[in-house]
Amino acid sequence: MADSAGIQQGSPAIGAAGLVPAAPGAGGTEGSGAARGSARIAVKKAQLRSSPRPKKLEKLGVYSSCKAEGACKCNGWKSQNPPPTPPQTEQQSNAVNLQEPCRSCSHTLGDHVTHLENVSEEEMNRLLGIVLDVEYLYTCIHKEEDADTKQVYFSLFKLLRKSILQMGKPMLEAQESPPFEKPSIEQGVNNFVQYKFSHLPSKERQTIMELAKMFLNQINYWQLETPSQRRQRVPNDDAAGYKVNYTRWLCYCNVPQFCDSLPRYETTQIFGRTLLRSVFTVMRKQLLEQARQEKDKLPPEKRTLILTHFPKFLSMLEEEVYSHNSPIWSQDFLAGAAGGQIPIHTVISAASVARPLYYSTSPVSVDPSTCGSVSPARKAASVLEPNPVGEKRKPSEPLSHEENKRPRVVGDIPMDLINEVMATITDPAAIPETSLLSAHSARDEAARLEERRGVIEFHVIGNSLNQKPNKRILMWLVGLQNVFSHQLPRMPKEYITRLVFDPKHKTLSLIKDGRVIGGICFRMFPSQGFTEIVFCAVTSNEQVKGYGTHLMNHLKEYHIKHEILNFLTYADEYAIGYFKKQGFSKDIKVPKSKYVGYIKDYEGATLMGCELNPSIPYTEFSVIIKKQKEIIKKLIERKQAQIRKVYPGLSCFKDGVRQIPIESIPGIRETGWKPVGKGKELKDPDQLYSTLKTILQHVKSHQNAWPFMEPVKKTEAPGYYQVIRFPMDLKTMSERLKSRYYTTRKLFMADMQRIFTNCREYNPPESEYYKCANLLEKFFYTKIKEAGLIEK
Ligand code: ACO
């Protein structure tokens, strides 16, 4: 069973049936025994139940105590002649002698079964069912190698034996009876479907429900790994907690699959998020792997469901399973939502950058990958802080609404295409497993994953004068004071202590294994529109693992929630690099009048500031960017595949044509090129003249216009006129304008464009001239857009 309990073998087949899991306990040595055993026991039970009554009595006598006078202690009749091998034929075995003495107590078989004299056939059959289960468990105990599993089998064996002796029903005696956690996995998954997909048209919703059903089915037949296997795989996990759940699972779900005299429950109905969390990652990986391996065997109608939708479904669900406060695990999931509606996403995520990641074509759906878990710091804050500061964003708050209402912009990539691309990149084969962090991972990725797996936690804590001190918070504050004192040796210890324990200061603390390993102490000045970061540190052996970045990202999200969008800090000279990487700069956006007199000036430190963008979900930002890059890469690949086409060369020039419109070049539009200047052509020559004159004046007055004011002098630029066939400059343009040469905006724009193109052709990119051309060109296009000569 040690092997059989292995998750690998236990995974039920998605298989050809698509939705139907394989037999319980499939795979493994004794595990497959569980499956085969289950069928074998069923056959044996049927045989035994149809055998004559004496035969049944003989079988039950073996498990019944002796009722002979004199208080015999024998608890089961033992035959003088143990059954021969091979067993006797049916005919012979039916010959039962109730007078045969017991090998152990010498009383007869009849003495052991007197209590069964008037028992109904039905009850006899029930007891015989238990007998066969006992015998099967006995074999399992002997074959089992895993100590924990063996122990559970043994307890169940004793329980079943006792119920035969007492003719009772097998009742598991445990401190807690099922369900062990609410909401159950089944309820949670149903909530998830409601939460994420309720807006979909019914056909699509049906598909999702099918996926959910399939997933739940898989869990119900999933072989959990033994506690020792798990300890080896995840050493830092809550081993005791897992063992309790494993034992419960064996007793209530697994063993009853083959020993049907025990009451059986579905894993998904009696366990909740805790058990799901302990199996999800491995399960997801194996299911996807299995789907890939079996893809050729899948019936055509299931292929898309399993190969395309299932991976996406699992990644979305994973996000909710590991998120610290996903609403799907809330007991009052539906009741809590206004008007009984499904709550909309409650996390910070209005990032416009995140938009293309919507999973469905519906504008209200939000892909979980764009808006991951709400910071546990926020969740914890409501519990730990005297004044809850970390509640979830309410559905009615503007950010989420704004997000849902965003209109689609002309030129946006069609949703269908994005969904199609998304489906390909959620395939784990396309995106490397997040746990296998590559050299190109974002710096906070490892920390983000650790947080999701519960290895680290973030809490905003502070001291309070009017609340009873909470021992845990005080311990953490002391821990923070230690981390800051060690990492900031130039700060007087007393000063650190004073600020960390000052009720006006709060600290975002990073906890690992119940211990503080870092934090950011800050003071909020809401009336001044900024927060001062006072101390920031991570304990030495945990530095450069991304914790500092993740801490800062949490702090940013915390402040967006509290509508403070500026940080100021006096950065230690060694920490300037770190702060720069977190988006801080020496260019302070907060007006001096707002902070002078409010924040402490530190000698030898540099004042740095960071302006927050409330649309950015900072803790998820790097993931979003990574996914977007992936999408864009795929879109480009698709486009390239479409336009990789060779057109015949242009022959018109041979026929004396000197110039053709760009848009007439075959294939140019397919590359995405669009003609510039799709703007308003000014019909009135005077209006055109005055518009162009204004633009030209602006351009000539620009600080980067100096190289282009006059025609290039041959003496200053040797060989210029050999390289540049059609020179142009601002003075010539002024003359042309004056002479009313520019009868259309196109002529004007073409001359101006020539100035920039010539410059870039003649000069190297690192030259001053080249840079001026780029800057002036940018300015020129801003001006003509402002004048409405081209579309904005
Ligand atoms: N100088 C330059 N870059 C740095 C520094 C530094 N001192 N510290 C970290 N970085 C870089 C890292 O190399 C990393 O960059 P990369 O991803 O491009 O390689 C990035 O900053 C973030 O690294 P993290 O792993 O996220 O940060 P870490 O967990 O190491 O925490 C911190 C950074 C808090 C500065 C930590 O190094 C520390 O505690 N240092 C000692 C205390 C200190 O100097 N605190 C700041 C004083 S100023 C004040 O408190 C207001």
Side-chain angles (χ1 to χ4, degrees):
M1 185 69 190
D3 293 342
S4 67
I7 36 188
Q8 183 74 44
Q9 302 93 324
S11 71
I14 289 180
L19 282 170
V20 185
T29 47
E30 280 81 19
S32 55
R36 286 193 298 274
S38 150
R40 225 174 21 232
I41 303 176
V43 173
K44 272 192 171 180
K45 281 183 182 172
Q47 277 174 358
L48 200 55
R49 281 169 184 156
S50 60
S51 58
R53 193 167 170 101
K55 184 75 197 151
K56 291 181 182 176
L57 288 174
E58 183 190 38
K59 189 81 183 169
L60 284 169
V62 175
Y63 295 91
S64 305
S65 53
C66 181
K67 315 288 180 307
E69 280 170 30
C72 180
K73 292 224 164 53
C74 174
N75 64 0
W77 180 79
K78 288 166 199 70
S79 171
Q80 302 278 359
N81 315 303
T85 316
Q88 294 170 325
T89 61
E90 202 60 25
Q91 200 82 39
Q92 291 162 312
S93 66
N94 281 344
V96 174
N97 177 8
L98 287 177
Q99 297 311 313
E100 191 182 333
C102 168
R103 179 156 46 92
S104 170
C105 70
S106 311
H107 294 115
T108 64
L109 170 60
D111 287 333
H112 286 80
V113 294
T114 46
H115 62 298
L116 298 171
E117 263 168 32
N118 298 320
V119 163
S120 69
E121 208 61 21
E122 196 185 335
E123 176 63 2
M124 290 276 280
N125 287 344
R126 185 185 74 83
L127 292 172
L128 285 168
I130 306 179
V131 165
L132 286 185
D133 287 346
V134 165
E135 289 180 351
Y136 188 71
L137 271 176
Y138 182 78
T139 332
C140 290
I141 295 166
H142 283 277
K143 289 188 178 172
E144 181 56 64
E145 285 165 19
D146 173 67
D148 296 311
T149 314
K150 205 180 184 92
Q151 204 182 351
V152 178
Y153 284 171
F154 188 59
S155 309
L156 292 173
F157 169 83
K158 285 197 296 187
L159 171 81
L160 292 183
R161 277 217 64 167
K162 200 169 132 198
S163 40
I164 305 171
L165 284 173
Q166 297 176 349
M167 292 175 67
K169 285 202 170 136
M171 296 288 281
L172 289 155
E173 282 163 28
Q175 278 177 341
E176 272 187 74
S177 54
F180 303 110
E181 194 175 4
K182 280 184 179 176
S184 64
I185 297 175
E186 190 178 295
Q187 186 60 52
V189 171
N190 281 336
N191 291 349
F192 164 71
V193 173
Q194 299 254 38
Y195 178 42
K196 292 283 173 188
F197 307 102
S198 59
H199 59 279
L200 291 181
S202 87
K203 197 164 161 248
E204 287 171 36
R205 216 170 46 234
Q206 198 54 41
T207 307
I208 303 291
M209 308 241 282
E210 229 180 296
L211 291 173
K213 215 165 103 189
M214 179 160 102
F215 175 72
L216 292 172
N217 239 350
Q218 297 288 333
I219 301 180
N220 283 333
Y221 290 101
W222 196 257
Q223 289 288 124
L224 294 195
E225 57 192 333
T226 63
S228 58
Q229 285 169 332
R230 186 165 175 85
R231 262 196 308 276
Q232 274 177 9
R233 199 172 58 80
V234 203
N236 291 334
D237 196 42
D238 170 18
Y242 182 78
K243 194 170 159 182
V244 169
N245 268 344
Y246 177 76
T247 307
R248 288 169 172 168
W249 171 78
L250 276 178
C251 295
Y252 291 96
C253 308
N254 183 254
V255 175
Q257 281 179 13
F258 49 92
C259 292
D260 65 3
S261 47
L262 286 165
R264 184 184 164 197
Y265 296 83
E266 296 287 24
T267 311
T268 51
Q269 284 173 356
I270 62 169
F271 292 99
R273 175 161 56 161
T274 312
L275 186 89
L276 187 56
R277 276 186 169 177
S278 45
V279 297
F280 195 93
T281 316
V282 179
M283 188 173 165
R284 171 177 176 262
K285 211 166 147 196
Q286 285 189 16
L287 287 177
L288 295 180
E289 182 54 34
Q290 211 177 327
R292 256 199 304 277
Q293 283 174 5
E294 293 176 9
K295 68 173 188 286
D296 298 329
K297 288 186 232 151
L298 292 172
E301 71 279 7
K302 298 278 177 227
R303 282 182 76 92
T304 323
L305 185 75
I306 292 171
L307 299 177
T308 311
H309 299 305
F310 199 42
K312 175 72 197 167
F313 175 88
L314 290 178
S315 11
M316 289 175 84
L317 181 58
E318 184 179 33
E319 202 77 26
E320 300 304 318
V321 169
Y322 292 107
S323 156
H324 283 273
N325 56 353
S326 163
I328 68 166
W329 302 106
S330 154
Q331 287 263 39
D332 48 3
F333 172 73
L334 282 175
Q341 283 176 350
I342 310 302
I344 57 168
H345 229 290
T346 52
V347 296
I348 297 171
S349 74
S352 50
V353 284
R355 216 73 48 173
L357 297 183
Y358 284 162
Y359 174 64
S360 101
T361 47
S362 158
V364 289
S365 109
V366 180
D367 183 273
S369 47
T370 65
C371 44
S373 59
V374 175
S375 144
R378 276 180 255 132
K379 181 185 168 204
S382 56
V383 185
L384 297 172
E385 279 197 345
N387 238 342
V389 284
E391 327 77 38
K392 287 189 222 164
R393 185 182 297 279
K394 306 257 173 6
S396 58
E397 285 179 22
L399 214 54
S400 309
H401 267 292
E402 210 179 276
E403 172 180 62
N404 291 336
K405 285 182 185 163
R406 177 188 177 262
R408 291 197 38 81
V409 174
V410 180
D412 270 5
I413 298 157
M415 254 9 255
D416 290 351
L417 178 58
I418 293 186
N419 284 337
E420 216 178 297
V421 170
M422 281 292 289
T424 63
I425 63 166
T426 40
D427 175 0
I431 282 193
E433 262 292 306
T434 29
S435 53
L436 307 169
L437 297 173
S438 74
H440 306 294
S441 303
R443 73 172 63 95
D444 61 332
E445 195 154 336
R448 216 178 55 84
L449 276 170
E450 282 189 15
E451 183 189 3
R452 217 167 63 167
R453 309 248 182 283
V455 179
I456 54 170
E457 291 168 24
F458 293 84
H459 299 278
V460 175
I461 58 170
N463 196 11
S464 166
L465 293 180
N466 35 30
Q467 295 266 319
K468 201 167 159 260
N470 172 320
K471 199 173 159 203
R472 192 159 64 131
I473 293 178
L474 289 178
M475 291 293 291
W476 284 347
L477 288 174
V478 172
L480 283 161
Q481 175 219 359
N482 278 331
V483 173
F484 292 143
S485 305
H486 277 100
Q487 297 305 319
L488 305 164
R490 287 197 291 180
M491 287 279 171
K493 198 169 174 172
E494 301 70 33
Y495 177 67
I496 293 176
T497 312
R498 184 153 64 78
L499 294 199
V500 168
F501 284 88
D502 168 28
K504 291 198 199 82
H505 286 74
K506 290 191 175 93
T507 306
L508 170 63
S509 42
L510 166 56
I511 313 292
K512 190 173 185 177
D513 298 329
R515 216 168 46 84
V516 173
I517 60 158
I520 303 181
C521 178
F522 59 97
R523 180 166 173 187
M524 295 163 106
F525 293 99
S527 63
Q528 306 307 107
F530 76 92
T531 275
E532 181 192 7
I533 291 178
V534 186
F535 310 124
C536 164
V538 169
T539 196
S540 353
N541 57 341
E542 301 282 6
Q543 286 176 11
V544 202
K545 291 182 182 175
Y547 292 145
T549 302
H550 207 43
L551 260 170
M552 192 58 82
N553 286 339
H554 270 300
L555 194 72
K556 288 176 179 172
E557 289 192 346
Y558 180 87
H559 278 80
I560 288 170
K561 249 184 150 11
H562 291 88
E563 292 169 359
I564 295 183
L565 300 182
N566 276 289
F567 286 161
L568 289 178
T569 191
Y570 271 100
D572 190 286
E573 62 174 310
Y574 302 108
I576 291 177
Y578 160 77
F579 280 108
K580 273 191 180 165
K581 284 179 178 166
Q582 309 310 317
F584 284 69
S585 98
K586 293 175 194 170
D587 177 17
I588 311 295
K589 294 279 175 0
V590 184
K592 222 171 177 168
S593 57
K594 289 270 178 196
Y595 63 83
V596 171
Y598 283 87
I599 78 169
K600 295 160 276 285
D601 200 346
Y602 295 91
E603 217 177 288
T606 308
L607 184 63
M608 297 184 84
C610 176
E611 201 180 359
L612 307 184
N613 182 335
S615 334
I616 297 179
Y618 283 97
T619 55
E620 296 295 319
F621 197 51
S622 56
V623 186
I624 294 169
I625 297 295
K626 191 171 153 199
K627 284 210 173 178
Q628 286 189 336
K629 275 190 186 164
E630 208 58 42
I631 291 178
I632 290 172
K633 219 172 87 194
K634 293 267 172 192
L635 287 170
I636 292 173
E637 278 167 16
R638 277 169 178 246
K639 190 89 191 163
Q640 280 176 339
Q642 281 166 13
I643 62 170
R644 196 159 288 150
K645 197 168 166 186
V646 179
Y647 290 91
L650 294 170
S651 56
C652 56
F653 301 112
K654 272 198 233 143
D655 307 330
V657 176
R658 288 202 58 200
Q659 226 179 2
I660 58 164
I662 298 182
E663 51 269 45
S664 66
I665 300 172
I668 192 109
R669 281 181 191 273
E670 284 88 326
T671 63
W673 178 89
K674 283 199 190 89
V676 221
K678 270 240 155 133
K680 178 171 61 160
E681 188 65 83
L682 296 175
K683 296 264 160 46
D684 177 359
D686 288 338
Q687 201 192 345
L688 177 67
Y689 174 81
S690 72
T691 309
L692 298 182
K693 192 176 168 196
T694 314
I695 295 172
L696 192 57
Q697 266 163 2
H698 278 303
V699 172
K700 281 161 77 176
S701 331
H702 192 268
Q703 56 179 351
N704 295 108
W706 59 269
F708 315 110
M709 295 303 276
E710 300 215 345
V712 174
K713 292 189 180 73
K714 274 187 191 164
T715 48
E716 284 171 10
Y720 185 83
Y721 289 96
Q722 273 86 56
V723 180
I724 302 299
R725 303 279 309 281
F726 304 101
M728 186 48 62
D729 63 278
L730 294 173
K731 189 176 171 203
T732 310
M733 280 189 75
S734 302
E735 284 160 4
R736 285 188 167 188
L737 181 70
K738 231 181 193 169
S739 65
R740 301 275 172 152
Y741 165 83
Y742 297 123
T743 50
T744 66
R745 70 195 159 104
K746 274 191 181 168
L747 283 172
F748 177 78
M749 285 164 61
D751 271 356
M752 188 69 84
Q753 189 59 57
R754 197 171 291 287
I755 296 180
F756 307 131
T757 317
N758 287 347
C759 174
R760 285 191 289 251
E761 202 175 328
Y762 184 78
N763 298 292
E766 59 284 358
S767 68
E768 195 63 23
Y769 300 113
Y770 197 102
K771 284 177 194 154
C772 283
N774 285 348
L775 292 170
L776 193 63
E777 183 182 39
K778 208 169 154 199
F779 175 74
F780 168 65
Y781 279 99
T782 317
K783 285 288 153 201
I784 55 167
K785 273 183 201 162
E786 276 173 18
L789 293 186
I790 60 168
E791 273 173 8
K792 285 194 185 179

